[in-house]
Amino acid sequence: MKLPTVIAIDGPAASGKSTLGERLAKHLHFLYFDTGLMYRAVTWCALMNGIAIDDELQVSDLAERIQIDVQAPTVDDGRINDVFLNGRDISWEVRQPEVDANVSQVSTYVRVRTAMTIQQRRIGERGNVVMVGRDIGTVVMPDAGLKIYLTASVMERARRRYEETRARGQPANLEQIMRSMKRRDAIDSSRMIAPLKPAPDAIVIDSDDYSIDEVVMLAIDYYRNTCNNSEC
Ligand code: DC
């Protein structure tokens, strides 16, 4: 039996997909690749260059021009991927609240998505990778050997994001986080191109029902038992 070499994990913000992806990658000695970082890099770059986020043409031109590299972390400061923009390390800049607030809008632009999808496939096609995002199982790597769609209630996800932010010593407001999360969910799920939804052959896990350790165990079980599509 040939085990999957590409694992796609999709789901809404703060559903636990990054933690799952990171732990699964570590367990399997695969690369962990958070594809949302690419949309974040474009957003950060647009903000830095004074480009209006609703100026689709300029944001798209920018996305096609810049070189974004996402790779295994080389600095031990809590990051789970390095992000480089034209060679500059922006691994923490892409986590700024201003990026959070604008990245969903940027990710609706068709030319931005096309540019990012090409870059993501290039890395995915090398194999031995756990890719985390919104459209990995549906669009970017539709032949992935294992697809997991991880979800959780908006209340639970907002609570997690609140705890994470506070743990980093930053101020956080639960109500505000919940409002912003609902807004992002709505944009991510209703966009015309590559909306957030489970692939028909994805395993859907609701993480409200499980601890993160249980989710990781479940995913490892599915990985060992999955061999039913074109990659196997
Ligand atoms: O996972 P995240 O919060 O870092 O993602 C940031 C944004 O990028 C989010 O609004 C959805 C979008 N995204 C996407 O559209 N497709 C992906 N494969 C990954 C992220």
Side-chain angles (χ1 to χ4, degrees):
M1 183 175 89
K2 187 169 168 272
L3 287 166
T5 65
V6 177
I7 301 177
I9 303 177
D10 293 301
S15 56
K17 56 189 194 309
S18 311
T19 310
L20 170 63
E22 198 192 357
R23 290 191 36 189
L24 205 50
K26 206 169 190 172
H27 181 84
L28 300 171
H29 303 288
F30 280 13
L31 171 72
Y32 170 73
F33 177 20
D34 176 355
T35 60
L37 292 171
M38 289 199 156
Y39 294 97
R40 287 174 176 272
V42 176
T43 307
W44 182 80
C45 191
L47 292 167
M48 280 302 102
N49 284 283
I51 296 174
I53 291 298
D54 55 9
D55 187 338
E56 180 167 352
L57 192 68
Q58 277 213 61
V59 174
S60 304
D61 284 348
L62 180 80
E64 287 171 357
R65 254 194 340 261
I66 58 181
Q67 169 73 34
I68 305 165
D69 293 303
V70 178
Q71 59 180 47
T74 54
V75 181
D76 185 14
D77 61 358
R79 67 182 65 182
I80 44 180
N81 276 131
D82 280 347
V83 188
F84 289 97
L85 176 79
N86 296 336
R88 172 178 170 185
D89 184 345
I90 57 158
S91 307
W92 288 112
E93 284 81 346
V94 293
R95 296 284 173 200
Q96 289 168 358
E98 218 187 340
V99 174
D100 277 345
N102 289 290
V103 64
S104 284
Q105 174 73 29
V106 167
S107 73
T108 63
Y109 298 153
V110 61
R111 284 173 53 211
V112 173
R113 295 207 72 83
T114 303
M116 297 304 111
T117 298
I118 290 168
Q119 299 210 34
Q120 290 162 18
R121 278 193 189 133
R122 204 187 52 228
I123 296 171
E125 279 160 6
R126 292 183 204 146
N128 290 358
V129 63
V130 177
M131 293 176 73
V132 169
R134 301 293 193 287
D135 61 341
I136 308 303
T138 50
V139 175
V140 180
M141 301 299 289
D143 292 333
L146 175 62
K147 300 177 187 178
I148 295 173
Y149 186 89
L150 189 61
T151 186
S153 64
V154 70
M155 184 60 204
E156 177 60 20
R157 291 186 288 120
R159 197 192 56 73
R160 288 178 194 163
R161 186 52 54 85
Y162 172 81
E163 301 291 349
E164 275 165 26
T165 312
R166 301 249 319 189
R168 285 202 298 265
Q170 290 164 351
N173 176 309
L174 185 61
E175 282 301 309
Q176 222 168 45
I177 292 175
M178 189 132 87
R179 263 200 309 278
S180 146
M181 203 158 265
K182 282 184 179 165
R183 189 176 150 267
R184 282 179 56 190
D185 283 356
I187 300 176
D188 292 346
S189 315
S190 64
R191 66 178 177 230
M192 298 294 287
I193 314 125
L196 170 67
K197 62 173 182 189
D201 51 348
I203 291 149
V204 179
I205 302 175
D206 185 336
S207 69
D208 276 8
D209 303 337
Y210 302 100
S211 70
I212 185 63
D213 286 338
E214 289 171 326
V215 173
V216 173
M217 294 296 288
L218 262 177
I220 292 172
D221 278 353
Y222 281 122
Y223 171 77
R224 305 248 172 255
N225 295 327
T226 298
C227 193
N228 57 2
N229 69 23
S230 58
E231 208 198 6
C232 297

